[in-house]
Amino acid sequence: MSPTGKKLKLAAALVAPRASSGGWRHDNAATTEGLELAYCARLAGQAEAGKLDFLFMPDQYRTPGATPDEFERHSNVWLEPVTLMSALAAVTTHVGLAATVSTTFQEPYHVARMFASLDHLSGGRASWNIVQSRGDAEESNFGGGCRPAQEERAEHSRQFVEIVKALWDSWEDGAIVADKVSGIYADPSKVHRLNHESKWFTVKGPLNVPRPPQGHPLLIEAGESDAFRERAARQADVIFTMLNDLSAAREFYRDTKRRLAAYGRGWDDLVIMPGLSLIVGATPEEARRKQEELARLERSTPRLDLVSFLTGLNMEKRGLRIDSELPDAADELPGSKYAAHKERADQLGLRTVEELYRELERGFGHLSIVGSAEQVADTLEEWLALEAADGFIYIPSVLPSGLNDLVELVVPELQRRGIFKTDYEGATLRERLGVSRPRNSFTGG
């Protein structure tokens, strides 16, 4: 049992990123069946059997592949998250359903309506993973010329989220009377218009879906920076972050949670869940064999989108190859990711894109554990006890076998130690995670 009596929260992603780099060839990896509802329903059923808190579907508005070779050798297709989670709502009962939607290429009214609908259909299990789309790769799939500039997207996203929350609040709890005798369907004093007008948005309201069962579907955000910590303390319910060092994770945890009081929020109103990569076996030796098998399948040449993400270079737009000389940073905005990395590269004597990428790759990634269920549980228990995390979002290397390993090997060991639940408690995802139901912004109630 955790010395604080706390229990771990656990979620699982429904994609296996390593599959895109060659892991799709693994004997236990799903390929085209990953697009079928029956397959996704089996995964959801397995997650629910393991009492996982929610399923998490990442997304981006482009294919990772950028070259003929990458289309030939990499897996580049997946399902749209809200559609998938809506389908899974019908075949699950308890597990939460988290879908990723970008604020950059959507409208607040659409997003508010989709997630309110999902929350009603699932009985209070919906969650929105809020992202801002960056770079040109996704923007090239959207016309209109009215998108916020890169440097404006954080403020644009903040306004977007505030509008969505106000739309969820536009019908108060109990606004719908539906009295057949009197003929009164709704109490108009409990229905509110936003009448919002700003640089990017004009939203009159109200929403045409009543207030969601959770008040607001659970809000997930990802990041680590100081500005992100402040934003998350103000508006996020769950933080998904990439921390693989215990001391850094403890600092992030304490610093972010201490900011909650300024927004009238309690310590437990924000759940911090770093990403988790596992290769687990019945014995440490079996886990290492699994790791070696995966490594043999993965291609040694990294995908250009990963290189772009880590270095801050737009490889496709600049026409760069992995062996290209590092370009000068003089034309980059001050403080840009690449400008900072180029300075580091110069200090270390790195000359090519690949040399910089490999250097950055060594310090990049989620908490990664290879070992037996007991070894995995030791690490997760330590992070919980030392307040480095409230839980983890598991990112399988291979599906469906990776989820099976979590549920069949790791979860029983966590339950044996008394640090993971043996059954679901609470009616909604918020209740199960211990996150307060938000007050209505129009009434304060």
Side-chain angles (χ1 to χ4, degrees):
M1 173 69 73
S2 164
T4 62
K6 290 178 61 177
K7 285 185 166 58
L8 275 169
K9 279 78 172 175
L10 278 180
L14 282 180
V15 294
R18 292 179 74 162
S20 182
S21 297
W24 61 269
R25 299 169 57 207
H26 194 283
D27 289 343
N28 295 326
T31 51
T32 54
E33 63 265 36
L35 305 176
E36 299 169 359
L37 178 57
Y39 164 82
C40 297
R42 286 196 297 274
L43 288 181
Q46 182 77 331
E48 207 159 57
K51 314 304 179 188
L52 300 193
D53 291 292
F54 60 88
L55 294 168
F56 177 81
M57 187 65 181
D59 198 24
Q60 52 188 314
Y61 300 145
R62 62 181 178 88
T63 58
T67 67
D69 177 71
E70 289 179 342
F71 283 117
E72 182 179 45
R73 300 292 181 176
H74 296 285
S75 172
N76 279 291
V77 294
W78 61 95
L79 294 171
E80 191 282 315
V82 177
T83 306
L84 173 59
M85 293 304 175
S86 298
L88 293 182
V91 295
T92 56
T93 305
H94 302 292
V95 70
L97 305 165
T100 300
V101 173
S102 171
T103 56
T104 307
F105 301 113
Q106 294 283 351
E107 288 291 332
Y109 198 93
H110 288 321
V111 171
R113 193 174 183 224
M114 288 190 294
F115 281 98
S117 298
L118 179 59
D119 208 44
H120 280 285
L121 292 171
S122 65
R125 295 185 284 136
S127 179
W128 173 24
N129 178 44
I130 305 163
V131 299
Q132 304 163 35
S133 297
R134 300 187 181 277
D136 298 323
E138 291 181 303
E139 191 157 350
S140 62
N141 290 319
F142 298 87
C146 58
R147 307 296 174 187
Q150 296 286 339
E151 63 274 13
E152 296 178 312
R153 289 187 179 177
E155 175 58 21
H156 172 273
S157 183
R158 185 194 68 79
Q159 288 188 25
F160 190 112
V161 173
E162 288 302 315
I163 293 168
V164 169
K165 292 194 295 183
L167 285 166
W168 287 332
D169 290 340
S170 61
W171 290 78
E172 295 179 32
D173 297 323
I176 297 177
V177 178
D179 187 325
K180 295 183 178 181
V181 175
S182 66
I184 296 174
Y185 181 78
D187 180 349
S189 69
K190 294 183 178 182
V191 184
H192 305 276
R193 294 192 186 280
L194 279 67
N195 294 320
H196 175 96
E197 290 192 22
S198 61
K199 177 179 178 180
W200 295 295
F201 307 110
T202 299
V203 183
K204 184 177 181 180
L207 196 64
N208 59 0
V209 181
R211 196 166 196 244
Q214 296 185 96
H216 300 165
L218 200 80
L219 301 180
I220 303 174
E221 293 201 69
E224 295 174 30
S225 70
D226 186 75
F228 167 78
R229 298 178 194 198
E230 197 66 29
R231 183 172 74 249
R234 182 179 63 244
Q235 71 181 27
D237 300 308
V238 173
I239 289 178
F240 173 39
T241 190
M242 190 178 290
L243 292 168
N244 54 29
D245 176 79
L246 179 61
S247 61
R250 294 185 72 194
E251 185 279 328
F252 178 90
Y253 186 100
R254 290 192 302 269
D255 178 62
T256 306
K257 291 229 176 186
R258 70 172 177 78
R259 302 176 190 231
L260 291 166
Y263 300 100
R265 306 181 68 194
W267 190 264
D268 294 328
D269 284 332
L270 179 62
V271 178
I272 297 178
M273 302 179 71
L276 174 65
S277 173
L278 295 178
I279 299 179
V280 59
T283 65
E285 293 72 26
E286 182 183 342
R288 284 194 291 273
R289 285 196 297 272
K290 289 182 177 181
Q291 183 184 36
E292 290 166 1
E293 185 178 6
L294 265 173
R296 283 195 299 271
L297 294 172
E298 291 181 350
R299 306 195 73 210
S300 59
T301 303
R303 294 198 324 261
L304 292 184
D305 69 305
L306 295 178
V307 177
S308 297
F309 175 76
L310 267 189
T311 64
L313 287 167
N314 189 321
M315 297 289 289
E316 187 178 10
K317 185 176 181 180
R318 287 175 176 257
L320 296 171
R321 302 187 312 275
I322 189 68
D323 59 352
S324 296
E325 294 284 325
L326 287 170
D328 189 81
D331 58 346
E332 298 288 330
L333 291 171
S336 72
K337 181 190 284 190
Y338 177 65
H341 290 333
K342 180 61 164 64
E343 183 177 351
R344 180 179 176 185
D346 291 342
Q347 293 169 350
L348 296 174
L350 308 178
R351 297 181 301 101
T352 68
V353 172
E354 182 168 15
E355 288 172 349
L356 174 60
Y357 172 79
R358 299 298 182 190
E359 171 64 23
L360 295 172
E361 187 183 35
R362 279 192 283 274
F364 176 79
H366 297 288
L367 175 63
S368 180
I369 310 171
V370 179
S372 66
E374 292 79 8
Q375 291 172 322
V376 170
D378 285 343
T379 300
L380 303 190
E381 186 172 18
E382 181 182 29
W383 279 55
L384 178 68
L386 295 179
E387 292 193 322
D390 295 309
F392 296 90
I393 296 178
Y394 169 56
I395 305 165
S397 296
V398 175
L399 281 172
S401 60
L403 182 58
N404 295 341
D405 287 344
L406 176 71
V407 168
E408 296 173 4
L409 297 176
V410 177
V411 165
E413 177 62 22
L414 297 174
Q415 291 171 330
R416 187 187 68 77
R417 299 180 185 211
I419 58 171
F420 190 67
K421 61 184 174 298
T422 57
D423 204 355
Y424 287 103
E425 299 175 359
T428 68
L429 179 56
R430 282 184 175 275
E431 291 174 5
R432 290 174 192 136
L433 291 177
V435 178
S436 300
R437 190 176 192 268
R439 295 183 174 185
N440 190 299
S441 56
F442 289 97
T443 66

